[in-house]
């Protein structure tokens, strides 16, 4: 029992000890809670202080102030506008209709410009307003964030106080638990085992309480940390607010400055406009006074003018009647005159038609008389190649009144010739072409035409036939003309133009457009029995444009240059032929025509001294001589309408047989060098020309008179030809004492009856 009592005492002591401990702990906890409360309160105070110090109220005040200022500025602007409108209205009234309205309109323009400026400034103001608005918005945002922070803090506070309350409750519950312990102590005395159990339970609870206290401490620590971070946030917010305030201050400053300058501008503009308007007003008033005076002086003049006008009006009223009468008489006169003119015209027309018929008749007669063979001469200009000195002096002159006469001074003696036409050195390619144009067009109608260029080497044959690229001769111009003529007739006729080019060298015919220019070509009779000739293998190119012709010419030229090393020399020793065939079909009747145009650049007609020529050169000269003589013979025979024409005597005449006979047309262009040193050759060329031309028409006498033109006979007839001597039968120039008329020249030449040969 005593043991039990001892134990009970010990337990009691322990319990007391426990109690003391618990009480100490509770007081400690209470103290801590108290502390925390105090801290929370101070924190709340701090927050409210901060709020009152920098919070939204100041910013709001700022904003309000800015808004008020803005409003004031707006009002001022409105006032300015009203003033401006008043000013604009003032000068407009007196200026209306006055001479200085232009100036005033200028002023008005300036005013409107100023208004524009004011509008601009207003725009700037509204921009500034916008800026202020933005800043106010940002302030509101900051306030909102501040409020959020405060709310968070309040929540935190709430949470902490809730925990405090919990802690109080726990303590209260722990206190409430004491009586059962006391009861246990009392009962322990009776039931020690029960007491022991209660003791252990209380120990556990104690343990639990201690844990809770530790947790509370932990919470307290966290709260302290939160408090610290809220402090930091507050500091940041303060810095931001300070920054915004500075920005607001600056914007406000700017706005004030701009307002100031706007105000100044406005005042200045108003003053200027006002001053100008005053000056203008003054001027307008002065003008008005002047106009008034003028009006007073003009009134009498106006009165007289009105009187005049009324008088004129009366006259005009009577004018139509007068006019009608005058018109009637004039019409009658004109009608009479027209009638007279008509009668005259008809008479003239009748006479013209009669003349036309007469002219046609004359022309036909002329053609008949002339025959189809014409001879013209062309004198080339003196060139650099002729050299200088007496040898290169001019020996050819012309008759200014007769373009068919040419005078040559040969070895001091003047000799004259008459041809169908003579072209001086100044005649252009076009002039010459004009002469041959009609011949060429007759080719389209189915006529055969031959144009020969005859003369010594260097006399201008190739120039006349081919010309230069920028000044083409007969060949190219003829084809151009054919193209244009054919084009014109295209609606009724269908034409096909082809060209061939050939050369005759040493009586050998070669194709210049063929693939093998070396090949000798033969002239044959058509197997159809028509008696027509043709050259098998002679290349024909169809041409449709000048480009085509140029290509053909280029091709022929290239062919010749590859074939002969010295083309110039070779060309002067050969006859070059361009044969153009025009075939046409009449679209409506189906009638077919074929015309041939033969353009021949003959070999040089110069004589070669017998002594100087041997071998090839001699052979060439013989061939040239023979063929040119044959040509002369054929032309003479044709012109004198002989029964037999010796076409077969040379390749050239044989080839051209179709184009020389029948109703074919032939033109011989005799080329002449004008210089002294060539007078001998010139003399012979002109003699040849005149002989061809002067052969008498009429079959009987002619045949006996003309005989043959063969080279052999020429050689026999013209001994001077063997050594270049002056022509014995040259006739005198006009004014030289003998009969100088063209007719007599011809008569004088006729008895000789022979043409000059090309002697070897
Ligand atoms: P051919 O063919 O008779 O030997 P060319 O036609 O070659 O003679 O002429 C010899 C030179 O004289 C060439 O340089 C040529 O340009 C020039 N010539 C010929 N006739 C004329 C002319 N009417 N106008 C200008 N130069 C010409
Ligand atoms: Mg030539």
């Amino acid at each position: 029992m005593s043991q039990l009592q001892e134990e009970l005492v010990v337990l009691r002591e322990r319990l007391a000890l426990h109690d003391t401990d618990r009480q100490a702990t509770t007081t400690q906890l209470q103290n801590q809670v108290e502390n925390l409360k105090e801290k929370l309160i101070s924190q709340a105070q701090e927050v409210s202080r901060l709020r009152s110090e920098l919070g939204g109220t100041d910013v709001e005040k700022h904003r309000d102030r800015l808004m008020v200022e803005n409003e004031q500025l707006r009002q001022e602007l409105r006032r300015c506008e009203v003033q401006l409108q008043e000013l604009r209205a003032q000068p407009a009234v007196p200026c209306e209709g006055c001479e200085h309205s232009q100036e005033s309109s200028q002023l008005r323009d300036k005013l409107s410009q100023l208004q524009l400026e004011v509008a601009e400034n207003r725009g700037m103001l509204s921009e500034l307003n916008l800026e202020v608005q933005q800043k106010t918005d940002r302030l509101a945002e900051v306030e909102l964030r501040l409020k959020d922070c405060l709310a968070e803090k309040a929540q935190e506070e709430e949470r902490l106080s809730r925990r405090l309350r919990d802690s109080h409750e726990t303590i209260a519950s722990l206190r409430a638990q004491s009586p059962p312990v006391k009861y246990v102590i009392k009962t322990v005395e009776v039931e020690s085992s029960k007491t022991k159990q209660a003791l252990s339970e209380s120990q556990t609870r104690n343990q639990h309480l201690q844990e809770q206290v530790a947790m509370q401490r932990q919470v307290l620590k966290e709260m302290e940390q939160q408090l610290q971070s809220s402090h930091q946030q507050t500091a940041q917010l303060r810095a931001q607010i300070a920054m915004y305030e500075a920005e607001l201050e600056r914007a406000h400053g700017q706005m004030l400055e701009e307002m100031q300058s706007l105000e100044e501008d406005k005042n200045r503009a108003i003053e200027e406009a006002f001053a100008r308007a005053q000056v203008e007003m003054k001027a307008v008033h002065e003008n008005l006074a002047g106009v008034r005076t003028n009006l007073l002086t003009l009134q009498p003049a106006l009165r007289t003018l009105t009187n005049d006008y009324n008088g004129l009006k009366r006259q005009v009223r009577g004018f139509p009647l007068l006019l009608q009468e005058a018109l009637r008489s004039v019409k009658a006169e004109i009608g009479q005159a027209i009638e007279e003119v008509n009668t005259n015209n008809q008479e003239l027309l009748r006479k013209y038609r009669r003349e036309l018929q007469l002219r046609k008749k004359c022309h036909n007669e002329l053609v008949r008389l002339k025959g189809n063979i014409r001879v013209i001469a062309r004198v080339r200009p003196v060139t650099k190649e002729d050299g200088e000195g007496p040898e290169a002096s001019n020996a050819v002159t012309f008759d200014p009144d007769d373009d068919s006469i040419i005078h040559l001074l040969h070895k001091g003696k003047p000799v004259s010739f008459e041809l169908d036409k003579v072209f001086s050195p100044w005649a252009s390619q076009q002039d010459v072409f004009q002469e041959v144009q009609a011949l060429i067009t007759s080719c389209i109608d189915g006529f055969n035409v031959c144009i020969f260029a005859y003369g010594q080497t260097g006399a201008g044959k190739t120039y006349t036939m081919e010309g230069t690229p920028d000044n083409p001769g007969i060949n190219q111009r003829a084809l151009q003309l054919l193209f244009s003529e054919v084009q014109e007739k295209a609606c009724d006729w269908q034409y096909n133009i082809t060209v061939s080019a050939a050369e005759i060298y040493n009586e050998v015919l070669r194709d210049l457009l063929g693939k093998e220019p070396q090949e000798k070509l033969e002239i044959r009779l058509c197997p159809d029995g028509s008696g027509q000739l043709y050259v098998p293998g002679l290349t024909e190119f169809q041409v449709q444009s000048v480009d085509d012709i140029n290509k053909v010419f280029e091709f022929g030229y290239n062919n010749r240059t590859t074939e002969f090393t010295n083309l110039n020399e070779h060309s002067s020793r050969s006859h070059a032929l361009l044969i153009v065939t025009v075939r046409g079909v009449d679209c409506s009747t189906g009638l077919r025509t074929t015309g041939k145009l033969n353009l021949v650049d003959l070999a040089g007609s110069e004589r070669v001294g017998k002594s100087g020529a041997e071998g090839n050169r001699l052979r060439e000269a013989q061939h040239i001589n023979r063929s040119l003589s044959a040509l002369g013979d054929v032309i003479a025979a044709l012109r004198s309408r002989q029964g037999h024409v010796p076409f077969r005597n040379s390749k050239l005449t044989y080839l051209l047989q179709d184009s020389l006979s029948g109703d074919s047309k032939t033109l011989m262009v005799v080329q002449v060098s004008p210089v002294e040193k060539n007078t001998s050759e010139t003399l012979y060329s002109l003699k040849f020309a005149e002989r061809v031309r002067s052969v008498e028409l009429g079959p009987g006498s002619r045949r006996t008179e003309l005989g043959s033109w063969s080279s052999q006979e020429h050689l026999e007839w013209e001994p001077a030809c063997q050594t270049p001597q002056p022509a014995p039968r040259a006739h005198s120039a006009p004014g030289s004492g003998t009969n100088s008329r063209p007719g007599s020249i011809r008569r004088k030449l006729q008895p000789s009856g022979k043409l000059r040969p090309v002697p070897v």
Side-chain angles (χ1 to χ4, degrees), residues 378 380-381 383 456-463:
R378 186 182 190 185
R380 71 150 166 85
T383 62
Q456 72 175 107
T457 300
K461 297 183 294 297
T462 308
Y463 184 85

Side-chain angles (χ1 to χ4, degrees), residues 410-430:
H410 176 59
K411 306 223 166 172
K413 282 185 194 163
V415 201
S416 297
F417 296 90
E418 185 193 15
L419 304 169
D420 289 308
K421 175 129 186 148
V422 176
F423 285 103
S424 71
W426 307 281
S428 66
Q429 297 281 63
Q430 181 57 30

Side-chain angles (χ1 to χ4, degrees), residues 456-463 466 568 571-572 574 601-602 604:
Q456 72 175 107
T457 300
K461 297 183 294 297
T462 308
Y463 184 85
E466 286 177 17
N568 265 350
S571 330
S572 71
S574 61
D601 184 353
L602 290 168

Side-chain angles (χ1 to χ4, degrees), residues 339-351:
E339 235 165 76
E340 275 170 30
V341 168
N342 253 347
T343 336
N344 277 348
N345 265 358
Q346 264 166 4
E347 177 64 15
L348 281 173
L349 207 65
R350 200 177 51 75
K351 279 182 184 167

Side-chain angles (χ1 to χ4, degrees), residues 210-246:
Q210 271 174 354
E211 279 170 12
Q212 271 190 343
V213 166
M215 254 164 64
Q216 285 294 330
R217 273 192 195 133
Q218 185 67 31
V219 168
L220 206 65
K221 217 174 180 178
E222 277 172 20
M223 278 177 73
E224 268 175 358
Q225 277 173 358
Q226 277 180 357
L227 201 67
Q228 215 166 351
S229 73
S230 88
H231 269 304
Q232 279 172 358
Q233 272 186 358
T234 314
Q236 275 176 0
L237 282 169
R238 261 189 211 169
Q240 269 188 355
I241 286 164
M243 203 173 73
Y244 289 140
E245 269 181 347

Side-chain angles (χ1 to χ4, degrees), residues 57 183 207 286 406 502 602 663 681 755 757:
T57 45
Y183 171 75
Q207 186 77 26
E286 279 167 14
I406 181 170
L602 290 168
D663 49 5
E681 288 302 332
L755 276 182

Side-chain angles (χ1 to χ4, degrees), residues 157-212:
E157 221 179 289
E158 180 76 41
R159 204 157 45 90
L160 283 172
S161 57
R162 221 184 296 132
R163 276 195 189 175
L164 200 68
R165 235 180 286 133
D166 288 350
S167 304
H168 276 299
E169 275 169 17
T170 324
I171 291 161
S173 72
L174 281 171
R175 270 192 194 146
Q177 277 174 3
S178 312
V181 173
K182 276 174 192 169
Y183 171 75
V184 170
I185 295 164
K186 278 174 197 164
T187 50
V188 159
E189 290 167 9
V190 192
E191 294 171 47
S192 65
S193 61
K194 270 186 179 178
T195 313
K196 271 180 192 170
Q197 198 183 345
L199 197 66
S200 73
E201 275 174 13
S202 84
Q203 271 174 344
T204 325
R205 261 185 223 135
N206 234 352
Q207 186 77 26
H208 181 65
L209 274 170
Q210 271 174 354
E211 279 170 12
Q212 271 190 343

